Amino acid sequence: LLEMWTFACINCKNVIPSLKDWHAAYSDQGLVIVANHYPEFDFEKDLDNLRKAIADQDIRYPVAQDNEGETWQAYDNRFWPTLYLIDKNGRIRYTHIGEGNYQRTELAIQELLAEPYP
């Protein structure tokens, strides 16, 4: 699961509890969550501010700092937060923009984890 987020975004903050739940529930089954932090505001570019936000929100999955927006642009992303589920072959199989739809996202996670490795 690739999450496009920024730490000051309230919508992103509201998604974090579900990400943390999925990380706890499915990481031992192969789910890997990577949060790609692309800042909206200048203060979000500061690594110390990002580290503080990660600690304050108790995020335990990897977070990449994408200040130049290279990953953000590679996915042609436009919105915070956006979730991408990428299958075992590296293909994007599911995308969700914004908050909500948590049950559908979790079902998609379960379906992808159940697929055999190539």
Side-chain angles (χ1 to χ4, degrees), residues 2-72:
L2 175 62
E3 177 203 23
M4 300 292 188
W5 74 299
T6 189
F7 70 77
C9 164
I10 188 64
N11 303 97
C12 298
K13 289 178 183 180
N14 291 339
V15 171
I16 289 173
S18 293
L19 292 168
K20 289 165 60 172
D21 289 347
W22 297 331
H23 177 70
Y26 301 109
S27 63
D28 65 341
Q29 297 175 43
L31 177 66
V32 175
I33 296 175
V34 175
N36 185 74
H37 183 266
Y38 178 61
E40 183 176 11
F41 303 108
D42 284 341
F43 73 93
E44 293 171 311
K45 293 178 181 178
D46 184 273
L47 182 57
D48 289 333
N49 290 341
L50 177 56
R51 285 181 175 143
K52 183 177 182 332
I54 291 167
D56 289 349
Q57 297 175 47
D58 194 30
I59 295 172
R60 298 180 184 216
Y61 43 84
V63 175
Q65 186 178 26
D66 188 24
N67 282 352
E68 303 304 316
E70 291 179 20
T71 302
W72 176 274

Coordinates of all heavy atoms in Angstrom, one line a residue, residues 2-72:
L2 N 0.7 2.1 -1.0 CA 1.4 3.4 -1.0 C 0.4 4.5 -0.7 O -0.6 4.6 -1.3 CB 2.0 3.6 -2.4 CG 2.6 4.9 -2.7 CD1 3.9 5.1 -1.8 CD2 3.0 5.1 -4.1
E3 N 0.7 5.2 0.3 CA -0.1 6.4 0.7 C 0.6 7.7 0.4 O 1.7 7.9 0.8 CB -0.4 6.3 2.2 CG -1.2 7.5 2.7 CD -1.0 7.9 4.1 OE1 0.0 7.5 4.7 OE2 -1.9 8.6 4.6
M4 N -0.1 8.5 -0.3 CA 0.4 9.9 -0.6 C -0.3 10.8 0.5 O -1.5 10.8 0.6 CB -0.1 10.4 -2.0 CG 0.5 9.5 -3.1 SD 2.2 9.7 -3.2 CE 2.5 8.8 -4.8
W5 N 0.6 11.4 1.3 CA 0.1 12.2 2.4 C 1.0 13.4 2.7 O 2.1 13.5 2.2 CB -0.1 11.3 3.7 CG 1.2 11.0 4.3 CD1 2.3 10.3 3.8 CD2 1.6 11.3 5.6 NE1 3.3 10.2 4.7 CE2 2.9 10.8 5.8 CE3 1.0 12.0 6.7 CZ2 3.6 11.0 7.0 CZ3 1.7 12.1 7.9 CH2 3.0 11.6 8.0
T6 N 0.5 14.2 3.6 CA 1.3 15.3 4.2 C 0.8 15.4 5.7 O -0.3 15.3 5.9 CB 1.3 16.6 3.4 OG1 2.2 17.5 4.0 CG2 -0.1 17.2 3.4
F7 N 1.8 15.7 6.6 CA 1.4 15.5 8.0 C 0.5 16.6 8.5 O -0.2 16.4 9.5 CB 2.7 15.4 8.9 CG 3.5 16.6 9.0 CD1 3.1 17.7 9.8 CD2 4.7 16.7 8.3 CE1 4.0 18.8 10.0 CE2 5.6 17.8 8.5 CZ 5.2 18.9 9.3
A8 N 0.3 17.8 7.9 CA -0.6 18.8 8.4 C -2.0 18.7 7.8 O -2.9 19.4 8.3 CB 0.0 20.2 8.1
C9 N -2.2 17.8 6.9 CA -3.5 17.6 6.3 C -4.5 16.8 7.2 O -4.2 15.7 7.6 CB -3.3 16.8 5.0 SG -4.8 16.1 4.3
I10 N -5.6 17.4 7.6 CA -6.5 16.8 8.5 C -7.1 15.5 7.9 O -7.3 14.5 8.6 CB -7.7 17.8 8.9 CG1 -8.5 17.1 10.0 CG2 -8.5 18.2 7.8 CD1 -7.8 16.9 11.3
N11 N -7.4 15.5 6.6 CA -7.9 14.3 6.0 C -6.8 13.2 6.1 O -7.2 12.0 6.3 CB -8.2 14.6 4.5 CG -9.2 15.7 4.4 OD1 -8.9 16.8 4.1 ND2 -10.5 15.4 4.6
C12 N -5.6 13.5 5.9 CA -4.5 12.5 6.0 C -4.5 12.0 7.5 O -4.3 10.8 7.7 CB -3.2 13.1 5.7 SG -3.0 13.6 3.9
K13 N -4.6 12.9 8.4 CA -4.6 12.5 9.8 C -5.7 11.5 10.1 O -5.6 10.6 10.9 CB -4.7 13.7 10.8 CG -3.4 14.5 10.8 CD -3.6 15.7 11.7 CE -2.3 16.6 11.6 NZ -2.5 17.8 12.5
N14 N -6.9 11.7 9.5 CA -8.0 10.9 9.7 C -7.9 9.5 9.1 O -8.6 8.5 9.5 CB -9.3 11.5 9.2 CG -9.7 12.8 10.0 OD1 -9.2 12.9 11.2 ND2 -10.4 13.6 9.4
V15 N -7.0 9.3 8.1 CA -6.8 8.0 7.5 C -5.8 7.2 8.3 O -5.8 5.9 8.3 CB -6.3 8.2 6.0 CG1 -5.8 6.9 5.4 CG2 -7.4 8.8 5.2
I16 N -4.9 7.8 9.1 CA -3.8 7.1 9.8 C -4.3 6.0 10.7 O -3.7 4.9 10.7 CB -2.9 8.1 10.5 CG1 -2.1 8.9 9.5 CG2 -2.0 7.4 11.5 CD1 -1.3 10.1 10.0
P17 N -5.3 6.1 11.4 CA -5.8 5.0 12.3 C -6.0 3.7 11.5 O -5.7 2.6 11.9 CB -7.0 5.5 13.0 CG -6.8 7.0 13.0 CD -6.1 7.4 11.7
S18 N -6.6 3.9 10.3 CA -6.9 2.7 9.5 C -5.6 2.1 9.0 O -5.4 0.9 9.0 CB -7.8 3.0 8.3 OG -9.1 3.3 8.8
L19 N -4.7 2.9 8.6 CA -3.4 2.5 8.1 C -2.7 1.7 9.2 O -2.1 0.6 9.0 CB -2.5 3.6 7.6 CG -3.0 4.3 6.3 CD1 -2.3 5.6 6.1 CD2 -2.9 3.4 5.1
K20 N -2.7 2.3 10.4 CA -2.0 1.6 11.5 C -2.7 0.3 11.8 O -2.0 -0.7 12.1 CB -2.1 2.5 12.7 CG -1.1 3.7 12.6 CD -1.3 4.8 13.5 CE -1.2 4.5 15.0 NZ -1.2 5.6 15.9
D21 N -4.0 0.2 11.8 CA -4.7 -1.1 12.0 C -4.4 -2.1 10.9 O -4.1 -3.3 11.2 CB -6.3 -0.9 11.9 CG -6.8 -0.1 13.2 OD1 -6.0 0.0 14.2 OD2 -8.0 0.3 13.1
W22 N -4.3 -1.7 9.7 CA -4.0 -2.6 8.6 C -2.5 -3.1 8.7 O -2.2 -4.2 8.5 CB -4.2 -2.0 7.2 CG -5.6 -1.6 7.0 CD1 -6.7 -2.3 7.5 CD2 -6.1 -0.6 6.1 NE1 -7.9 -1.7 7.0 CE2 -7.5 -0.6 6.2 CE3 -5.5 0.4 5.4 CZ2 -8.3 0.3 5.5 CZ3 -6.3 1.3 4.7 CH2 -7.7 1.3 4.8
H23 N -1.6 -2.2 9.1 CA -0.2 -2.5 9.3 C -0.2 -3.6 10.4 O 0.5 -4.6 10.2 CB 0.6 -1.3 9.7 CG 2.0 -1.6 10.0 ND1 2.9 -2.0 9.0 CD2 2.7 -1.6 11.1 CE1 4.1 -2.2 9.6 NE2 4.0 -1.9 10.9
A24 N -0.8 -3.4 11.5 CA -0.8 -4.4 12.6 C -1.4 -5.7 12.2 O -0.9 -6.8 12.6 CB -1.5 -3.8 13.8
A25 N -2.5 -5.7 11.4 CA -3.3 -6.9 11.1 C -2.6 -7.7 10.0 O -2.8 -8.9 9.9 CB -4.7 -6.5 10.7
Y26 N -2.0 -7.0 9.0 CA -1.6 -7.7 7.8 C -0.1 -7.7 7.4 O 0.3 -8.3 6.5 CB -2.4 -7.1 6.6 CG -3.9 -7.2 6.8 CD1 -4.7 -6.1 7.0 CD2 -4.5 -8.5 6.7 CE1 -6.0 -6.2 7.2 CE2 -5.9 -8.6 6.9 CZ -6.7 -7.4 7.1 OH -8.0 -7.5 7.2
S27 N 0.7 -7.0 8.2 CA 2.1 -7.0 7.9 C 2.7 -8.3 7.9 O 3.6 -8.7 7.1 CB 2.9 -6.0 8.7 OG 2.8 -6.4 10.1
D28 N 2.3 -9.2 8.8 CA 2.8 -10.5 8.9 C 2.3 -11.4 7.8 O 2.9 -12.5 7.6 CB 2.6 -11.2 10.3 CG 1.1 -11.4 10.5 OD1 0.2 -10.8 9.9 OD2 0.7 -12.2 11.4
Q29 N 1.3 -10.9 7.0 CA 0.8 -11.7 5.8 C 1.4 -11.1 4.5 O 1.1 -11.6 3.5 CB -0.7 -11.6 5.8 CG -1.4 -12.3 7.0 CD -2.9 -12.1 7.0 OE1 -3.5 -12.2 5.9 NE2 -3.4 -11.8 8.1
G30 N 2.3 -10.1 4.6 CA 2.9 -9.6 3.5 C 2.6 -8.2 3.1 O 3.2 -7.6 2.1
L31 N 1.6 -7.6 3.8 CA 1.3 -6.2 3.5 C 2.5 -5.3 3.9 O 3.0 -5.3 5.0 CB 0.1 -5.7 4.2 CG -0.3 -4.2 4.0 CD1 -0.7 -4.0 2.5 CD2 -1.4 -3.8 4.9
V32 N 2.9 -4.4 2.9 CA 3.9 -3.4 3.2 C 3.2 -2.1 2.9 O 2.7 -1.8 1.8 CB 5.1 -3.6 2.3 CG1 6.1 -2.5 2.5 CG2 5.8 -5.0 2.5
I33 N 3.3 -1.2 3.9 CA 2.8 0.1 3.8 C 3.9 1.1 3.7 O 4.9 1.0 4.5 CB 1.8 0.5 4.9 CG1 0.6 -0.4 5.0 CG2 1.4 2.0 4.8 CD1 -0.3 -0.1 6.2
V34 N 3.9 1.9 2.7 CA 4.9 3.0 2.6 C 4.1 4.3 2.5 O 3.3 4.4 1.6 CB 5.8 2.8 1.4 CG1 6.8 4.0 1.3 CG2 6.6 1.5 1.5
A35 N 4.4 5.3 3.3 CA 3.8 6.6 3.3 C 4.7 7.5 2.6 O 5.8 7.7 3.0 CB 3.5 7.1 4.7
N36 N 4.3 8.1 1.5 CA 5.1 9.0 0.7 C 4.7 10.4 1.1 O 3.6 10.9 0.8 CB 4.9 8.8 -0.8 CG 5.8 9.7 -1.6 OD1 7.0 9.5 -1.7 ND2 5.2 10.8 -2.2
H37 N 5.5 11.1 1.9 CA 5.2 12.4 2.4 C 5.6 13.5 1.4 O 6.8 13.8 1.2 CB 5.9 12.7 3.7 CG 5.6 14.0 4.3 ND1 6.3 15.1 4.2 CD2 4.5 14.3 5.1 CE1 5.8 16.1 4.8 NE2 4.7 15.7 5.4
Y38 N 4.6 14.1 0.7 CA 4.9 15.2 -0.2 C 4.3 16.5 0.5 O 3.1 16.6 0.6 CB 4.2 14.9 -1.5 CG 4.4 16.1 -2.5 CD1 5.7 16.5 -2.9 CD2 3.3 16.7 -3.0 CE1 5.8 17.5 -3.8 CE2 3.4 17.7 -4.0 CZ 4.7 18.2 -4.3 OH 4.8 19.2 -5.2
P39 N 5.1 17.4 0.9 CA 4.6 18.6 1.6 C 3.8 19.5 0.8 O 4.1 19.8 -0.4 CB 5.9 19.2 2.1 CG 7.0 18.8 1.2 CD 6.5 17.4 0.7
E40 N 2.8 20.1 1.5 CA 2.0 21.1 0.8 C 2.5 22.5 1.2 O 2.5 23.4 0.4 CB 0.5 21.0 1.3 CG -0.4 22.0 0.7 CD -1.9 21.8 1.1 OE1 -2.2 21.0 2.0 OE2 -2.7 22.4 0.4
F41 N 3.0 22.6 2.4 CA 3.5 23.9 3.0 C 5.0 23.8 3.3 O 5.5 22.7 3.6 CB 2.8 24.3 4.2 CG 1.3 24.3 4.0 CD1 0.4 23.4 4.6 CD2 0.7 25.4 3.3 CE1 -0.9 23.4 4.4 CE2 -0.6 25.4 3.1 CZ -1.5 24.5 3.6
D42 N 5.7 24.9 3.3 CA 7.1 24.9 3.5 C 7.6 24.3 4.9 O 8.6 23.5 4.9 CB 7.7 26.3 3.5 CG 7.8 26.9 2.1 OD1 7.8 26.1 1.1 OD2 7.9 28.1 1.9
F43 N 6.8 24.5 6.0 CA 7.2 23.9 7.2 C 7.1 22.4 7.2 O 7.8 21.7 8.0 CB 6.4 24.5 8.4 CG 5.0 24.0 8.4 CD1 4.6 22.9 9.2 CD2 4.0 24.6 7.7 CE1 3.3 22.4 9.3 CE2 2.6 24.2 7.8 CZ 2.3 23.1 8.6
E44 N 6.4 21.8 6.3 CA 6.3 20.3 6.2 C 7.5 19.8 5.5 O 7.7 18.5 5.5 CB 5.0 19.9 5.4 CG 3.8 20.3 6.2 CD 2.5 20.1 5.3 OE1 2.5 20.6 4.2 OE2 1.6 19.4 5.8
K45 N 8.3 20.6 4.8 CA 9.5 20.1 4.2 C 10.7 19.8 5.1 O 11.6 19.1 4.8 CB 10.0 21.2 3.2 CG 9.1 21.3 2.0 CD 9.6 22.4 1.0 CE 8.6 22.6 -0.1 NZ 9.1 23.7 -1.0
D46 N 10.6 20.4 6.3 CA 11.6 20.2 7.3 C 11.6 18.8 7.9 O 10.6 18.3 8.4 CB 11.4 21.2 8.4 CG 12.5 21.2 9.5 OD1 12.4 20.4 10.4 OD2 13.5 21.9 9.3
L47 N 12.8 18.1 7.8 CA 12.8 16.7 8.2 C 12.5 16.6 9.7 O 11.9 15.6 10.1 CB 14.2 16.1 7.9 CG 14.4 14.7 8.2 CD1 13.4 13.8 7.6 CD2 15.8 14.2 7.9
D48 N 13.0 17.5 10.5 CA 12.7 17.4 12.0 C 11.2 17.5 12.2 O 10.7 16.8 13.1 CB 13.5 18.5 12.7 CG 14.9 18.2 12.8 OD1 15.3 17.0 12.7 OD2 15.7 19.2 12.9
N49 N 10.5 18.4 11.5 CA 9.0 18.5 11.6 C 8.4 17.2 11.2 O 7.4 16.7 11.9 CB 8.5 19.7 10.8 CG 8.9 21.0 11.4 OD1 9.3 21.1 12.6 ND2 8.8 22.0 10.6
L50 N 8.9 16.6 10.1 CA 8.3 15.3 9.7 C 8.6 14.2 10.7 O 7.7 13.5 11.1 CB 8.9 14.9 8.3 CG 8.4 13.6 7.8 CD1 6.9 13.4 7.7 CD2 9.1 13.3 6.4
R51 N 9.8 14.2 11.2 CA 10.1 13.2 12.3 C 9.2 13.3 13.5 O 8.7 12.4 14.1 CB 11.6 13.3 12.7 CG 12.5 12.7 11.7 CD 13.9 12.9 12.2 NE 14.8 12.2 11.3 CZ 16.1 12.7 11.0 NH1 16.5 13.8 11.6 NH2 16.8 12.1 10.1
K52 N 9.0 14.6 13.9 CA 8.1 14.8 15.1 C 6.7 14.4 14.8 O 6.0 13.7 15.6 CB 8.1 16.3 15.4 CG 7.3 16.7 16.7 CD 7.4 18.1 17.0 CE 6.6 18.5 18.3 NZ 5.5 17.7 18.6
A53 N 6.2 14.6 13.6 CA 4.8 14.2 13.2 C 4.7 12.7 13.2 O 3.7 12.1 13.7 CB 4.4 14.8 11.9
I54 N 5.7 12.0 12.7 CA 5.7 10.6 12.7 C 5.7 10.0 14.1 O 4.9 9.1 14.5 CB 6.9 10.0 11.9 CG1 6.8 10.3 10.5 CG2 7.1 8.5 12.2 CD1 8.1 10.2 9.7
A55 N 6.5 10.6 15.0 CA 6.5 10.2 16.4 C 5.2 10.5 17.1 O 4.7 9.7 17.8 CB 7.7 10.8 17.1
D56 N 4.7 11.7 16.9 CA 3.5 12.1 17.6 C 2.3 11.3 17.2 O 1.4 11.0 18.0 CB 3.1 13.6 17.2 CG 4.1 14.6 17.9 OD1 4.9 14.2 18.8 OD2 4.0 15.8 17.5
Q57 N 2.3 10.8 15.9 CA 1.2 10.0 15.4 C 1.5 8.5 15.5 O 0.7 7.7 15.1 CB 0.9 10.4 14.0 CG 0.4 11.8 13.9 CD 0.2 12.3 12.5 OE1 -0.5 11.6 11.7 NE2 0.7 13.5 12.2
D58 N 2.6 8.2 16.1 CA 3.0 6.8 16.4 C 3.0 5.9 15.1 O 2.4 4.8 15.1 CB 2.2 6.2 17.5 CG 2.8 4.9 18.0 OD1 4.1 4.7 17.9 OD2 2.0 4.0 18.4
I59 N 3.5 6.5 14.0 CA 3.5 5.8 12.7 C 4.7 4.8 12.7 O 5.8 5.2 12.9 CB 3.6 6.8 11.5 CG1 2.3 7.6 11.5 CG2 3.8 6.0 10.2 CD1 2.4 8.7 10.5
R60 N 4.4 3.5 12.5 CA 5.5 2.5 12.6 C 5.8 1.9 11.3 O 6.6 1.0 11.2 CB 5.0 1.4 13.6 CG 4.9 2.0 15.0 CD 4.5 1.0 16.0 NE 4.2 1.7 17.3 CZ 4.5 1.2 18.4 NH1 5.0 0.0 18.5 NH2 4.3 1.8 19.5
Y61 N 5.2 2.3 10.2 CA 5.5 1.8 8.9 C 6.4 2.8 8.2 O 6.5 4.0 8.7 CB 4.2 1.6 8.0 CG 3.2 2.6 8.2 CD1 3.2 3.8 7.4 CD2 2.1 2.5 9.1 CE1 2.3 4.8 7.5 CE2 1.1 3.5 9.2 CZ 1.2 4.6 8.4 OH 0.3 5.6 8.5
P62 N 7.1 2.5 7.2 CA 8.1 3.4 6.6 C 7.5 4.6 6.0 O 6.4 4.6 5.4 CB 8.7 2.5 5.4 CG 8.4 1.1 5.7 CD 7.2 1.1 6.5
V63 N 8.2 5.7 6.1 CA 7.7 7.0 5.6 C 8.9 7.5 4.7 O 10.0 7.6 5.2 CB 7.4 8.0 6.7 CG1 7.1 9.4 6.1 CG2 6.3 7.5 7.5
A64 N 8.6 7.9 3.5 CA 9.6 8.5 2.6 C 9.3 10.0 2.5 O 8.1 10.4 2.4 CB 9.4 7.9 1.2
Q65 N 10.4 10.8 2.6 CA 10.2 12.2 2.4 C 10.4 12.5 0.9 O 11.5 12.3 0.3 CB 11.2 13.0 3.2 CG 11.1 14.5 3.2 CD 12.1 15.2 4.1 OE1 13.1 14.7 4.4 NE2 11.7 16.3 4.6
D66 N 9.4 13.1 0.3 CA 9.4 13.4 -1.1 C 9.3 14.9 -1.4 O 8.4 15.4 -2.1 CB 8.2 12.6 -1.7 CG 8.1 12.6 -3.3 OD1 9.2 12.8 -3.9 OD2 7.0 12.5 -3.8
N67 N 10.2 15.7 -0.9 CA 10.1 17.1 -1.0 C 10.1 17.6 -2.4 O 9.5 18.7 -2.7 CB 11.3 17.8 -0.2 CG 11.1 17.8 1.3 OD1 10.0 17.5 1.8 ND2 12.1 18.2 2.0
E68 N 10.8 16.9 -3.3 CA 10.8 17.4 -4.7 C 9.6 16.8 -5.5 O 9.5 17.2 -6.7 CB 12.1 16.9 -5.4 CG 13.4 17.4 -4.6 CD 13.4 18.9 -4.5 OE1 13.1 19.6 -5.5 OE2 13.8 19.4 -3.4
G69 N 8.8 16.0 -4.9 CA 7.6 15.5 -5.6 C 7.9 14.5 -6.6 O 7.0 14.2 -7.5
E70 N 9.0 13.8 -6.6 CA 9.3 12.8 -7.7 C 8.4 11.6 -7.7 O 7.9 11.2 -8.7 CB 10.8 12.4 -7.6 CG 11.7 13.5 -7.9 CD 13.2 13.1 -7.9 OE1 13.5 11.9 -7.9 OE2 14.0 14.0 -7.7
T71 N 8.1 11.1 -6.5 CA 7.2 10.0 -6.4 C 5.8 10.4 -6.7 O 5.0 9.8 -7.4 CB 7.3 9.2 -5.1 OG1 8.7 8.8 -4.9 CG2 6.4 8.0 -5.0
W72 N 5.4 11.5 -6.1 CA 4.1 12.1 -6.3 C 3.8 12.3 -7.8 O 2.8 11.9 -8.2 CB 4.1 13.5 -5.5 CG 2.9 14.3 -5.7 CD1 2.6 15.2 -6.7 CD2 1.8 14.4 -4.8 NE1 1.4 15.8 -6.5 CE2 0.9 15.3 -5.3 CE3 1.5 13.8 -3.6 CZ2 -0.3 15.7 -4.7 CZ3 0.3 14.1 -2.9 CH2 -0.6 15.0 -3.5

